[in-house]
């Protein structure tokens, strides 16, 4: 017998077997029961979520002569002939994107159905059609014959013209939940007598990110060896990060086991893991822990606030990470940052900071030496795209804040020059290396201290430089963190950061000004009050991102 891939074999043939789209199914069934079927539908959503399967079941049920409780009977002539019915026309726009195919469709649309009540066109990947094909289709959608129904499916609704969208009843297909994926994978394994461990099932569900087709395709590949499918084999073949690994790492974070965290991060780097996949999985697991804490079913050492902060920070990291620095270095610092303030000095924390020091140095040196220009450009493009993406929604606040920051930097630079003294600089120089060992300091601040150096100082102002633009940006966005240095320095110092290049320019301007007899006088920062936007704290901003704009993808 011909081998049928699992995804096709287990394709749902009735509404009740469609997984994870309850709302859509209910609406479609209601339309059939109440005889309120529209002429055009648009199914949108990620791949493998059941759009085409649902379109077929819907088409079959519409033409069934004996619908029972919103399901096709499976016995009437129309149901029996469904697979070869001339009244069901399937078009894959990804392969037939010419105007000719649509023209043929339009010519034939006027001809009455041969057997069923309706002629049903299922157009898959409709966004792939050309503009002229869309225009041709539009004419038909505007005045469809009574017997014609169009069901269009797309993974990319943004590419479907508004003129088409406005003529369709639209249904959004959701990613399939982890639980639903797991239970379906288990069911298929049972039916197919596939020997598989529970943790491998869970991992497949994770890897397929809400898509049933991906889940069953992966299962297909793994089952072809006819050996028992275990998590180890799965990970060896697909280079993924196991859920167990994530859980152990998070336990280490909850228990403040610095060495274990460091070992795990080194392992991730050594196995060239994808940091985005890693972060997504950690966020997924943290969300599970958050629910456990709130339902009193958690027995680890995390507090709800810690979990919440980690999720926000990691999400921010994912959205705004600047790949010029090793992302795992940032992740490691972030994980460490989630610790409560330590009560006593611990030896392994010292070791840890030394390690971070080394990693940072290495990461920077490596990048500087080996990244070819072409790759750097690519990263810049990616970076720009990411920035564009992440700033799309809160753009107004961000823009305001950037303007404010720009002015603030100018003023602080001026003020620092106005009172710059060598002795102030020497004092900070002396202090800087010791700060990284101060356990009371925030881990993010420490990471800044490691990555910056003081190049000019007056009694109240200081200029920092950093090799990486990303550090400069981060430092300037988080200047408030430097307030923590006040007790260590003895008084308040206003910091700003510049790139080395920018600092060299500014230094030359300063030298010229002084040489030509010019001078600098203090400018009050209060003059910026009217520019100062309602700056949201980072956390608030992330909360807005997360909850208003679905920035976190949880499958
Ligand atoms: Zn039937």
């Amino acid at each position: 017998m011909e081998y049928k891939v699992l995804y096709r074999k287990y394709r749902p043939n009735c509404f009740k077997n469609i997984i994870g789209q309850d709302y859509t199914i209910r609406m479609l069934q209601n339309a059939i029961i109440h005889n309120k079927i529209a002429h055009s539908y648009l199914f949108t959503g990620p791949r493998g979520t059941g759009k085409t399967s649902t379109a077929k079941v819907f088409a079959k049920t519409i033409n069934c002569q004996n619908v029972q409780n919103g399901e096709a009977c499976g016995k009437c002539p129309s149901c029996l002939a469904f697979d070869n019915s001339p009244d069901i026309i399937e078009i894959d726009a990804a392969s037939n994107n010419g105007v000719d195919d649509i023209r043929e469709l339009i010519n034939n649309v006027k001809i009455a159905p041969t057997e069923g009540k309706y002629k049903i066109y299922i157009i898959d990947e409709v966004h792939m059609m050309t503009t002229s094909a869309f225009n041709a289709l539009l004419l038909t959608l505007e005045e469809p014959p009574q017997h014609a129904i169009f069901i269009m499916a797309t993974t990319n609704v943004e590419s479907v013209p508004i003129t088409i969208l406005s003529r369709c009843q639209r249904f959004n297909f959701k990613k399939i939940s982890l639980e639903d994926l797991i239970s379906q994978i288990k069911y298929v394994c049972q039916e197919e007598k596939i020997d598989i461990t529970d943790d491998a099932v869970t991992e497949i569900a994770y890897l397929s990110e809400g898509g049933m087709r991906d889940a069953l395709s992966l299962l297909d590949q793994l089952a072809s060896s006819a050996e028992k499918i275990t998590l180890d084999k799965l990970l060896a073949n697909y280079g993924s990060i196991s859920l167990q690994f994530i859980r152990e790492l998070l336990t280490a974070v909850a228990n403040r086991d610095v060495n274990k965290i460091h070992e795990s991060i080194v392992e991730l780097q050594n196995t060239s893991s994808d940091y985005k996949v890693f972060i997504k999985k950690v966020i997924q697991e943290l969300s599970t822990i958050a629910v456990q804490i709130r339902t009193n079913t958690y027995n680890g050492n995390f507090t709800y606030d810690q979990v919440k902060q980690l999720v926000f920070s990691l999400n921010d990291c994912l959205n705004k990470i600047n790949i010029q620095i090793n992302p795992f270095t940032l992740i490691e610092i972030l994980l460490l940052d989630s610790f409560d303030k330590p009560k006593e000095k611990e030896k392994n924390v010292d070791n840890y900071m030394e390690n971070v020091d080394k990693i940072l140095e290495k990461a920077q040196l490596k990048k500087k030496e080996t990244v070819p220009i072409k790759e750097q450009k690519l990263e810049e493009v990616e970076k720009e795209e990411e920035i564009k993406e992440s700033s799309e929604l809160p753009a107004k606040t961000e823009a305001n804040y950037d303007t404010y920051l720009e002015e603030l930097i100018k003023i602080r630079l001026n003020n620092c020059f106005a009172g710059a003294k060598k002795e102030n600089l020497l004092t900070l120089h002396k202090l800087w290396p010791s700060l990284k060992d101060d356990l009371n300091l925030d881990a993010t601040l420490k990471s800044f201290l490691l990555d910056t150096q003081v190049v000019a100082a007056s009694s109240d102002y200081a200029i920092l430089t950093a090799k990486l633009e990303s550090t400069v940006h981060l430092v300037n966005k988080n200047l408030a963190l430097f307030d923590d240095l006040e007790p260590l320095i003895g008084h308040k110092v206003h910091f700003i950061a510049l790139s080395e290049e920018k600092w060299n320019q500014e230094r030359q301007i300063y030298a010229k000004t002084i040489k030509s007899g010019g001078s600098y006088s203090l400018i009050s920062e209060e003059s910026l009050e009217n520019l100062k936007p309602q700056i949201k704290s980072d956390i608030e901003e992330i909360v807005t991102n997360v909850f208003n704009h679905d920035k976190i993808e949880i499958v």
Side-chain angles (χ1 to χ4, degrees), residues 188-296:
V188 171
C189 288
Q190 211 172 9
E191 292 291 306
E192 297 290 315
K193 303 199 167 34
I194 295 171
D195 201 4
I196 187 168
T197 59
D198 276 356
D199 51 5
V201 170
T202 308
E203 196 61 29
I204 292 174
Y206 262 108
L207 285 172
S208 44
E209 288 192 56
M212 189 62 79
R213 181 164 43 206
D214 286 354
L216 295 187
S217 302
L218 191 52
L219 186 60
D220 244 331
Q221 293 167 35
L222 290 161
S224 61
S225 76
E227 285 171 27
K228 181 169 184 150
I229 303 170
T230 62
L231 183 60
D232 284 345
K233 265 182 219 161
L234 175 59
L235 297 176
N237 282 322
Y238 295 93
S240 173
I241 306 147
S242 76
L243 182 59
Q244 192 188 345
F245 179 91
I246 305 263
R247 284 184 178 155
E248 282 173 10
L249 172 60
L250 286 178
T251 306
V253 175
N255 297 338
R256 294 176 43 212
D257 182 347
V258 181
N259 289 332
K260 171 79 185 167
I261 295 171
H262 185 62
E263 276 167 26
S264 306
I265 296 290
V266 170
E267 192 181 330
L268 283 169
Q269 299 194 75
N270 290 345
T271 49
S272 310
S273 303
D274 181 335
Y275 76 91
K276 286 187 179 172
V277 173
F278 170 73
I279 292 178
K280 280 184 185 174
K281 283 190 160 188
V282 172
I283 289 176
Q284 171 75 50
E285 185 57 23
L286 284 168
S287 73
T288 309
I289 293 176
V291 173
Q292 286 171 349
I293 294 175
R294 283 299 191 230
T295 53
N296 293 325

Side-chain angles (χ1 to χ4, degrees), residues 377-511:
K377 283 223 173 103
L378 197 75
E379 280 179 0
E380 274 164 27
V381 172
E382 278 175 6
K383 197 178 104 192
E384 272 172 24
E385 278 173 1
E386 272 176 37
I387 289 171
K388 219 161 83 190
E389 236 174 62
S390 65
S391 62
E392 250 168 25
L393 296 152
K396 216 173 159 193
T397 320
E398 289 255 319
N400 287 346
Y401 186 67
D402 286 347
T403 317
Y404 165 74
L405 201 57
E406 221 171 89
E407 294 304 312
L408 184 72
I409 288 172
K410 278 184 204 158
I411 290 182
R412 289 196 176 175
L413 187 66
N414 171 84
N415 290 355
C416 186
F417 281 155
K421 280 202 185 95
K422 189 112 197 173
E423 57 191 75
N424 297 130
L425 181 61
L426 289 175
T427 311
L428 285 177
H429 265 182
K430 222 183 268 174
L431 188 65
W432 223 242
S434 63
L435 293 175
K436 72 178 200 304
D437 294 324
D438 194 305
L439 284 171
N440 292 316
L441 288 185
D442 177 271
T444 313
L445 176 60
K446 273 193 203 171
S447 73
F448 291 162
L449 299 175
L450 283 170
D451 216 13
T452 54
Q453 53 171 329
V454 193
V455 289
S458 67
S459 56
D460 305 319
Y461 292 87
I463 300 168
L464 305 172
T465 63
K467 285 193 172 59
L468 299 170
E469 275 292 344
S470 55
T471 310
V472 174
H473 185 70
L474 274 174
V475 168
N476 287 331
K477 282 201 87 167
N478 293 280
L479 288 172
L481 284 177
F482 284 80
D483 291 349
D484 290 356
L485 297 182
E486 194 176 328
L488 299 163
I489 299 171
H491 59 274
K492 178 148 175 117
V493 174
H494 300 86
F495 288 91
I496 51 151
L498 299 175
S499 67
E500 289 184 342
E501 196 190 346
K502 175 86 172 149
W503 166 240
N504 278 332
Q505 289 167 4
E506 295 295 344
R507 198 167 54 166
Q508 278 167 18
I509 295 171
Y510 172 77

Side-chain angles (χ1 to χ4, degrees), residues 123-140:
I123 309 177
D124 218 350
E125 301 297 347
V126 70
H127 64 274
M128 299 289 283
M129 292 199 314
T130 59
T131 311
S132 32
F134 269 127
N135 287 335
L137 177 64
L138 190 60
L139 291 174
T140 312

